[in-house]
Amino acid sequence: MAVLSSALLSGTDRAADDAEHHIGRRAALAAYEKAGLGPQDVDVAEVHDATAFGEIQQAENLGFCPIGDGGPWSASGASALGGTLPVNPSGGLESRGHPVSATGLAQVFELVTQLRGRAGGRQVPDARIAIAENGGGLYGIEEAVAAVTILGRTR
């Protein structure tokens, strides 16, 4: 496994309708640029879904679908195991009771397990590129901090 990139950003004062500058989107774009990759290269994702809407919003922020299309994209099955880009095959934060400090560690552990091909019934076939998005705190209308990490299978 290799860490291909990691971006850690702070929240900003932005207008509520300015989704293009959401902290999660800005962190994702920075991580993609550092890795020389884009959303089309990702095979599996673990995102901060403290609420059901979180997965939808972060799918948009990570560029898996256009902003505003996260609900229909998810409802189509695209984010399900077996879909075009599985999101939270671990079950996400909601399935773990949102273990605040352990969230990021749980995400990276799941993604490393996926990249090693050892996820059992949760396995995304031939996963080579994985992305984790995690945020915390509040600053205005968004998270105070967001981290996006891209991992890659090296063999």
Side-chain angles (χ1 to χ4, degrees), residues 74-146:
S74 182
S76 77
S79 66
L81 192 58
T84 56
L85 202 167
V87 176
N88 291 351
S90 69
L93 279 69
E94 290 184 295
S95 74
R96 291 188 289 275
H98 194 340
V100 182
S101 297
T103 295
L105 180 60
Q107 290 176 325
V108 171
F109 178 82
E110 173 66 20
L111 294 176
V112 168
T113 302
Q114 288 285 342
L115 294 174
R116 288 179 176 165
R118 299 179 184 161
R122 301 183 318 279
Q123 185 62 51
V124 174
D126 199 34
R128 299 191 57 77
I129 303 293
I131 192 166
E133 176 280 328
N134 197 3
L138 287 174
Y139 182 82
I141 60 168
E142 64 185 11
E143 297 88 346
V145 65

Side-chain angles (χ1 to χ4, degrees), residues 21-33:
H21 291 97
H22 187 284
I23 187 174
R25 185 167 187 81
R26 292 185 301 112
L29 293 173
Y32 287 137
E33 184 176 342

Side-chain angles (χ1 to χ4, degrees), residues 46-67:
E46 284 284 321
V47 304
H48 190 109
D49 68 339
T51 64
F53 176 72
E55 180 180 323
I56 292 168
Q57 182 179 41
Q58 297 312 329
E60 295 175 4
N61 285 337
L62 292 169
F64 301 156
C65 61
I67 291 176

